[in-house]
Amino acid sequence: MSAVVLLSLLGWGAKSMLDSAFGAPDNQVAATDSRVCPQSSGNNLSLADATGHFGLVVPSSATNIVFSADVGGLQGESDLALRFTTTPADLATFLMASQFESPSATTKVAGGWTTYSPGVPVQPARGLCGLTPPVNPTMVYGQDSPGRAKKADSRSVAVDGTTDPAHPVVWVSGTDL
């Protein structure tokens, strides 16, 4: 085998390894799940896998589900952005089963979300597919409950239960730390 062929094979192998470690995830889930935000990319983690990873129990009756989820990087970090509509009873069950604290207007959250406080401008849901919750005085937020066994992840929840009280909208952010 010539030195050129050998070097070419070694270069190809190194590129493949680096692409898998540092390259963008491949968006394979978007091809098979219509709930994936079409404006996002790199969705290589199914909703079931992402919610399982972050210990979330999405109500089976949830509607208007939109999400973006991926796993990648050197450490296999996972990220999830999720929005769905539910009922007040299913919201209470979701919060308890997923071990979130009771949402309040004063909870500070992780995940890059802006929460409302005096002087902060009101904003509609934004980001890709509206996966970032709105900022307004009626929004409530929650984090992991104190009793949840801490994992190497950060989870936040936001709830709009006043626009349509019979059908609250829920946003969830999950990120490995």
Side-chain angles (χ1 to χ4, degrees), residues 38-52:
Q39 299 166 357
S40 64
S41 63
N43 295 285
N44 64 357
L45 194 58
S46 71
L47 183 60
D49 288 343
T51 56

Side-chain angles (χ1 to χ4, degrees), residues 51-52 54-60 82 84 90-91 93-100 155:
T51 56
F54 287 105
L56 302 170
V57 183
V58 177
S60 60
L82 169 66
F84 61 90
D90 282 346
L91 172 60
T93 301
F94 165 74
L95 293 170
M96 186 170 51
S98 299
Q99 297 183 341
F100 279 110
R155 306 176 323 150

Side-chain angles (χ1 to χ4, degrees), residues 28-29 42-47 49-50 53 67 69-71 78-79:
Q28 68 199 22
V29 175
N43 295 285
N44 64 357
L45 194 58
S46 71
L47 183 60
D49 288 343
H53 177 80
F67 77 99
D70 66 78
V71 61
S78 298
D79 291 296

Side-chain angles (χ1 to χ4, degrees), residues 11-26 44 71-74:
W12 174 81
K15 181 188 180 312
S16 296
M17 185 178 74
L18 290 172
D19 282 350
S20 67
F22 296 106
D26 66 7
N44 64 357
V71 61
L74 288 175

